[in-house]
Amino acid sequence: MFYEVFVRSFYDSNGDGQGDFAGLTQKLDYLNDGNPATTTDLGVTGLWLMPMMESPSYHGYDVTNYKATEPDYGILAEFEAFLAAAHARGIKVIVDLVLNHSSSQHPWFQQAASSPTSSFRDWYRWSSTIPGTGPGGGTVWHPRNGSYYYGVFWGGMPDLNWRNPQLKAAMWDATRFWLRRGVDGYRIDAVKYLVETGNTLENTPETLSLLEEYHDSVKAVNPNAFTVGEAWSNTAAVVPYVLNNRLDACFEFDLAQSIISSLNAGNPAALRAQLDLVDRSYPQLQYATFLTNHDQNRVLGLLGGDLARMKQAAALYLTLPGVPFLYYGEEVGMLGAGVDEDKRKPMQWTAGAQAGFTTGTPWRALNPNYAQFNVATQQADPASLLNHYKQLIRLRTAHEPLRKGYLLPVAASASAALGYARIHQQQAVLTVANLGSTAVSPTLSLALSTLPAGTYQVTELLSGQAAGTVTLDAQGAFSNWAATLPALAANHTWVLRLAPAVPTATTGALAAFAPKLYPNPAAQQVRLELPASAAPAQQQVQVYDLHGRLLRTARFAGRLHTLDTGTWANGTYLLRIQSGPAVSVQRLVVAH
């Protein structure tokens, strides 16, 4: 669970009105105090710091020195002290890495612009004329000393020329610099724009190839380093960035938008469709979930100030697969819209002077809602948005299905209810969200799963209430089950834990029936191997989609069978394998 921090706006330690590394260090106990037994901290286990390298701008996305900290935030030693304090609490730290462009004030660019014969000239892209426009017809070629240089965002951020081997070597060196000082990975800004090919400015094969080199460079220093990319595109365009050892994950912008639009519509249809697409598209669940970030209007405003919807949005994305990211202040209902500075206002700590952010004058005016929407006030209110976030994050940490489980749709009898299951080994967590305006008591059905047959105790985790029992058949399915809970109120959510109570198909001879599928994920042929205890009679394998629709059936003799998935669509499948009376359901991921 990551928390996105804009250091300038988080906490000011010296009264100059700007947040800094020392202030961030002082507030680490709010984020995670390092003691799993306490419940006063937020419980996040990762931080993403927006740009913290030297830059002339407030935001830091135009870097002037890739091996220096931003002076407003503190010196390198203060950053390293922050890193050590975070690691001592079990918090990993990734930082923004701007690979696409530098500042126009960077010495590299200053030398490149000084003369066409400069040894740095080819570190950027130059033209004697204006070759064309950029995305949306925008200006991307900017005049300088009789020539034009390429900068997709604005003239102050000239794009780096990744076709130049010296530039590439310098950037890989900078990447290794921070990893060797203990940084745990990177968020890659504007990743889809790295290498242009002719008039194709984004998502080029050369960009994808470059990221494979980047992966190797990073993992050589720290094999466990985590990389997440900002490829702000539709889902289909994002997926290639996490394939072939490129990035570990990418932000799922379409999913974030579908959560917000479905909540505002009071109808789960858009979110249900996007979840289905996401699950079919990412073979290894390699996506990052979030609601909004520093480039978008803050989510409380997008949801019309409705705190019930805010709580429901949190419950949705924190119970879904993927790596969740929380934008600072979202947990207390900060507002922000319009120019970027107003989406990145100072953190609201208290109802006191300057919201407890600084003893001086804040670098940007505070939100007017800080008197009610702040950490201190909400910590004291058990029903607050902040305490709701704390509870959800603790539940995600405590229950493996919420961190590791694969996703299955759960059918709900009420049209306004969205249901899905996260399944890991012999446990499951079901989320049921009522997006409508009236209370519902839905019956729930799960068409097929890898859960063993048997009776399961059901507990609603948010309230701690017992919700009855449910019996799963040999296919790990149940139909028209109703929780023994009061009606599910409008914009409220159940998080239901299923724990085995009375297994019926995991003892005796049936327990030994555990077929193997390999390779998994598969690109072409899959070998199905039955255990030695399998009955000598004819065997059968049935292939289902995640909605329980039968796609194909094959019968075979003996313990071995080969499936050719070459014509199957990418996605996740459930295979019901039967040998005599023994039945097992296995999950197979197909990724060509």
Side-chain angles (χ1 to χ4, degrees):
M1 174 74 202
F2 278 90
Y3 189 86
E4 179 190 354
V5 174
F6 184 38
V7 177
R8 191 176 302 277
S9 282
F10 201 60
Y11 187 64
D12 172 20
S13 70
N14 59 13
D16 68 354
Q18 303 184 96
D20 44 51
F21 297 135
L24 180 55
T25 305
Q26 291 174 33
K27 291 297 186 180
L28 281 175
D29 281 349
Y30 165 74
L31 299 169
N32 189 327
D33 62 12
N35 183 353
T38 62
T39 59
T40 52
D41 58 318
L42 196 54
V44 300
T45 51
L47 293 180
W48 156 25
L49 304 191
M50 289 170 59
M52 39 62 67
M53 300 172 198
E54 184 182 276
S55 167
S57 298
Y58 87 93
H59 51 73
Y61 282 102
D62 49 344
V63 176
T64 50
N65 187 340
Y66 284 94
K67 291 184 178 181
T69 56
E70 166 52 45
D72 288 347
Y73 297 167
I75 61 175
L76 180 60
E78 290 172 303
F79 175 73
E80 291 177 327
F82 152 73
L83 265 184
H87 289 160
R89 291 163 172 78
I91 302 173
K92 301 289 188 182
V93 178
I94 66 173
V95 301
D96 238 311
L97 182 62
V98 187
L99 296 179
N100 181 69
H101 50 264
S102 74
S103 170
S104 60
Q105 298 181 38
H106 196 295
W108 296 346
F109 184 77
Q110 293 290 310
Q111 294 180 65
S114 66
S115 169
T117 61
S118 166
S119 59
F120 287 89
R121 186 71 168 187
D122 194 45
W123 289 36
Y124 298 86
R125 295 184 62 203
W126 296 88
S127 174
S128 59
T129 60
I130 299 177
T133 59
T139 298
V140 293
W141 290 95
H142 310 279
R144 186 69 171 258
N145 295 342
S147 297
Y148 297 89
Y149 65 91
Y150 181 78
V152 70
F153 292 108
W154 70 297
M157 299 196 297
D159 277 41
L160 298 168
N161 178 17
W162 280 94
R163 299 180 189 276
N164 180 288
Q166 287 77 36
L167 176 278
K168 184 187 295 184
M171 292 300 288
W172 287 169
D173 181 56
T175 300
R176 293 189 289 267
F177 176 87
W178 295 105
L179 292 172
R180 288 172 178 148
R181 274 153 182 78
V183 165
D184 299 292
Y186 294 109
R187 178 262 187 186
I188 312 301
D189 179 64
V191 71
K192 68 179 184 177
Y193 294 111
L194 295 182
V195 186
E196 302 81 20
T197 302
N199 291 325
T200 304
L201 306 181
E202 57 187 82
N203 304 324
T204 64
E206 290 81 2
T207 288
L208 298 176
S209 178
L210 178 68
L211 290 174
E212 292 169 19
E213 291 184 46
Y214 167 75
H215 169 275
D216 293 345
S217 177
V218 167
K219 302 294 183 178
V221 178
N222 179 1
N224 296 317
F226 176 71
T227 59
V228 58
E230 182 213 18
W232 196 338
S233 297
N234 61 67
T235 297
V238 173
V239 171
Y241 287 89
V242 301
L243 302 179
N244 296 347
N245 287 328
R246 289 165 185 148
L247 297 173
D248 294 319
C250 272
F251 289 100
E252 227 322 301
F253 283 88
D254 284 359
L255 180 58
Q257 175 57 38
S258 68
I259 292 173
I260 293 167
S261 62
S262 284
L263 284 170
N264 280 331
N267 186 328
L271 177 52
R272 186 181 291 116
Q274 182 62 23
L275 285 175
D276 184 60
L277 175 63
V278 164
D279 201 63
R280 285 187 281 110
S281 301
Y282 294 87
Q284 297 289 341
L285 307 179
Q286 291 173 265
Y287 51 90
T289 56
F290 67 106
L291 295 176
T292 60
N293 66 22
H294 60 279
D295 288 323
Q296 300 168 298
N297 292 341
R298 281 189 174 266
V299 65
L300 180 61
L302 295 177
L303 293 176
D306 190 320
L307 285 176
R309 287 180 177 173
M310 280 289 289
K311 289 182 177 181
Q312 189 163 50
L316 288 169
Y317 92 97
L318 291 176
T319 59
L320 284 171
V323 181
F325 280 73
L326 169 61
Y327 185 36
Y328 82 94
E330 185 177 290
E331 74 275 19
V332 296
M334 281 182 61
L335 289 169
V339 297
D340 284 346
E341 292 89 335
D342 286 344
K343 304 165 187 172
R344 309 168 187 178
K345 285 181 175 249
M347 180 68 175
Q348 295 163 199
W349 293 104
T350 72
Q354 309 297 8
F357 163 71
T358 181
T359 57
T361 301
W363 76 273
R364 190 75 176 175
L366 297 163
N367 274 312
N369 76 343
Y370 80 86
Q372 297 80 31
F373 293 82
N374 63 76
V375 170
T377 299
Q378 293 200 20
Q379 279 178 330
D381 178 5
S384 70
L385 180 63
L386 174 60
N387 282 315
H388 182 66
Y389 263 99
K390 288 181 181 179
Q391 184 183 21
L392 287 165
I393 294 169
R394 287 198 299 272
L395 290 179
R396 189 177 181 96
T397 301
H399 296 281
E400 277 194 307
L402 290 176
R403 301 193 314 277
K404 302 178 181 179
Y406 68 91
L407 185 75
L408 276 181
V410 172
S413 59
S415 61
L418 173 70
Y420 52 85
R422 301 287 308 283
I423 296 174
H424 179 70
Q425 297 177 349
Q426 294 190 23
Q427 293 193 23
V429 174
L430 274 60
T431 297
V432 185
N434 178 12
L435 278 64
S437 57
T438 59
V440 296
S441 296
T443 60
L444 306 173
S445 300
L446 182 64
L448 193 70
S449 80
T450 58
L451 291 169
T455 300
Y456 290 71
Q457 298 281 358
V458 185
T459 306
E460 204 290 298
L461 294 174
L462 292 173
S463 65
Q465 291 179 280
T469 61
V470 61
T471 299
L472 275 61
D473 63 20
Q475 296 182 187
F478 60 82
S479 182
N480 297 317
W481 174 78
T484 58
L485 292 169
L488 182 59
N491 289 126
H492 280 65
T493 305
W494 289 334
V495 182
L496 305 171
R497 175 177 180 257
L498 274 60
V502 186
T504 58
T506 56
T507 59
L510 296 184
F513 187 63
K516 297 178 181 178
L517 293 170
Y518 54 91
N520 189 5
Q524 195 72 32
Q525 291 191 329
V526 178
R527 188 178 178 90
L528 167 59
E529 180 178 326
L530 303 185
S533 59
Q538 189 176 63
Q539 330 292 350
Q540 175 179 274
V541 56
Q542 294 174 299
V543 181
Y544 292 84
D545 68 13
L546 296 184
H547 296 275
R549 293 183 289 248
L550 179 63
L551 303 178
R552 50 182 57 84
T553 299
R555 291 177 174 82
F556 60 99
R559 293 178 52 213
L560 301 176
H561 181 63
T562 299
L563 294 164
D564 187 350
T565 66
T567 61
W568 300 13
N570 284 349
T572 304
Y573 299 85
L574 294 177
L575 276 56
R576 183 183 186 274
I577 304 159
Q578 184 166 5
S579 176
V583 175
S584 176
V585 178
Q586 301 287 322
R587 178 173 173 261
L588 174 66
V589 174
V590 174
H592 300 301

